């Protein structure tokens, strides 16, 4: 039995690109930086900036690993449990607002 999600607005997640990043990461265990960047169709710098905010506030983790196909390091991102909770709460709040329940 799942625990009900408490609707709560999150200003960190509300920023449109971070909302998209959280939406993508919420569907996977982890994702490579390049795949995230390409999915969002944004520059390396823009993607890095938004991911740094999520990592700095504890909503995401980053792990550097050696690539399978070459010797360079690849960054992998994942939502933390706090990030998943914050994203779920934010989406619940948006749904509450959209339904007219103020």
């Amino acid at each position: 039995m799942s625990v009900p999600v408490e609707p709560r607005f999150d200003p960190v997640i509300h920023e449109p690109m971070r909302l998209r990043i959280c939406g993508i990461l919420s569907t996977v265990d982890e994702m490579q930086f390049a795949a995230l960047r390409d999915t969002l169709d944004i520059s390396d710098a823009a993607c890095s900036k938004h991911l740094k905010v999520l990592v700095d506030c504890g909503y995401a983790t980053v792990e550097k690993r050696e690539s399978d196909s070459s010797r360079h390091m690849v960054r992998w991102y994942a939502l933390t449990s706090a990030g998943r909770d914050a994203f779920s709460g934010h989406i619940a709040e948006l749904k509450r607002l959209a339904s007219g329940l103020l």
Side-chain angles (χ1 to χ4, degrees), residues 23-70:
I24 292 165
L25 290 177
S26 73
T27 66
V28 297
D29 290 333
E30 61 183 0
M31 190 174 219
Q32 280 188 0
F33 173 83
L36 260 171
R37 178 204 59 217
D38 293 349
T39 300
L40 296 165
D41 194 28
I42 59 175
S43 69
D44 282 3
C47 193
S48 291
K49 177 183 87 170
H50 291 295
L51 286 165
K52 181 177 180 348
V53 170
L54 293 170
V55 169
D56 286 351
C57 75
Y59 287 173
T61 60
V62 59
E63 184 180 324
K64 293 180 182 178
R65 294 187 215 143
E66 195 171 292
S67 170
D68 292 337
S69 59
S70 68

